[in-house]
Amino acid sequence: MPLEPLVCARTATRVSSVLNRDVKHFGKQHLFDGSEETCWNSDQGASQWVTLDFPRPVKVSQLHIQFQGGFSSRLCTLEGCRTGEELVKISELYPQDSHAMQISFPRMEGRQFQVEQTVLDRLKITFGSSTDFFGRVVVYHLGVLGERL
């Protein structure tokens, strides 16, 4: 079965912060708008995050992410759960400090950017250890692919 984008209009999205609270220019809506001109830009802080609450269970297979070089995360922790359950760690990803699109691949040994296929209703991506001195993270594109159940 081919992978499909799992984020839709009914997916509830939350972010840890927005640079200077300027939601119009740097808000969460820019994670998924498909524009190369817009981005989510977090405020400074030790750990930034994005949560996605899907309208129905999904099986996450791939993550696509595009940071701004110099404002990426050295470590991304993926946590997920079903409705009513506590978040549990799924994977740790080690992205490159690059503006290039980075794609996770499930169960491929030797890849440093991989995600375990998991059925969930909520996904939390925590961006730890930012390459920016102040802890800011800039994401131009976030794609979650898999299968709707």
Side-chain angles (χ1 to χ4, degrees):
M1 182 170 244
L3 299 179
E4 61 181 311
L6 299 176
V7 177
C8 66
R10 295 186 351 249
T11 302
T13 306
R14 292 181 48 215
V15 293
S16 53
S17 65
V18 175
L19 183 66
N20 299 325
R21 297 186 178 161
D22 187 351
V23 175
K24 180 180 178 184
H25 293 105
F26 302 116
K28 64 188 177 185
Q29 71 276 12
H30 299 304
L31 288 167
F32 313 107
D33 66 6
S35 172
E36 295 180 11
E37 304 296 319
T38 62
C39 61
W40 166 60
N41 193 333
S42 78
D43 217 332
Q44 60 186 1
S47 184
Q48 303 298 329
W49 50 263
V50 173
T51 60
L52 304 169
D53 287 299
F54 299 99
R56 63 189 231 207
V58 297
K59 182 186 221 178
V60 174
S61 298
Q62 261 186 25
L63 182 74
H64 297 192
I65 192 160
Q66 183 179 16
F67 293 103
Q68 177 177 324
F71 294 88
S72 64
S73 175
R74 290 184 186 98
L75 170 64
C76 296
T77 303
L78 274 59
E79 298 173 287
C81 64
R82 300 297 308 268
T83 301
E85 297 177 358
E86 295 290 318
L87 290 167
V88 295
K89 185 161 88 171
I90 300 168
S91 296
E92 288 185 342
L93 311 176
Y94 301 92
Q96 298 173 353
D97 184 13
S98 163
H99 189 72
M101 180 69 72
Q102 299 179 59
I103 301 171
S104 69
F105 295 93
R107 293 193 215 99
M108 289 183 69
E109 292 301 316
R111 300 287 305 211
Q112 64 180 30
F113 199 64
Q114 58 185 333
V115 62
E116 292 294 323
Q117 289 187 344
T118 306
V119 175
L120 49 82
D121 295 292
R122 170 180 276 178
L123 177 66
K124 180 177 183 180
I125 306 166
T126 303
F127 303 103
S129 188
S130 172
T131 58
D132 174 57
F133 180 77
F134 296 103
R136 295 169 295 190
V137 175
V138 178
V139 178
Y140 280 87
H141 175 78
L142 177 64
V144 180
L145 283 75
E147 178 182 348
R148 288 185 178 91
L149 304 177

